[in-house]
Amino acid sequence: MNNDELSEKAYIDLATGLPNKNKCEELLSAHYVINKPTACFMLDLNDLKKVNDTLGH
């Protein structure tokens, strides 16, 4: 496995293709990425895996 593949697994949700929590935290902490007033909304859904496994994504 090469570095690009490892990076994708570390920072991208494979089911959705969206950045995961680790990538979002990295982007939000980088001062050069956000240069305007910005709001961020995050949800932590407990037991979401159980819902996905029984009802689908």
Side-chain angles (χ1 to χ4, degrees):
M1 196 172 280
N2 65 34
N3 285 344
D4 290 337
E5 291 172 322
L6 290 174
S7 180
E8 183 173 330
K9 287 185 180 284
Y11 293 117
I12 302 296
D13 178 81
L14 297 178
T16 64
L18 297 172
N20 65 13
K21 179 184 174 209
N22 293 330
K23 184 63 175 181
C24 288
E25 287 176 349
E26 180 182 290
L27 290 170
L28 291 172
S29 67
H31 68 282
Y32 58 87
V33 173
I34 300 172
N35 55 17
K36 299 184 219 183
T38 304
C40 180
F41 184 74
M42 292 185 185
L43 296 174
D44 181 16
L45 302 174
N46 293 331
D47 298 322
L48 184 59
K49 182 172 179 3
K50 290 179 189 174
V51 174
N52 284 340
D53 289 347
T54 58
L55 302 174
H57 292 273

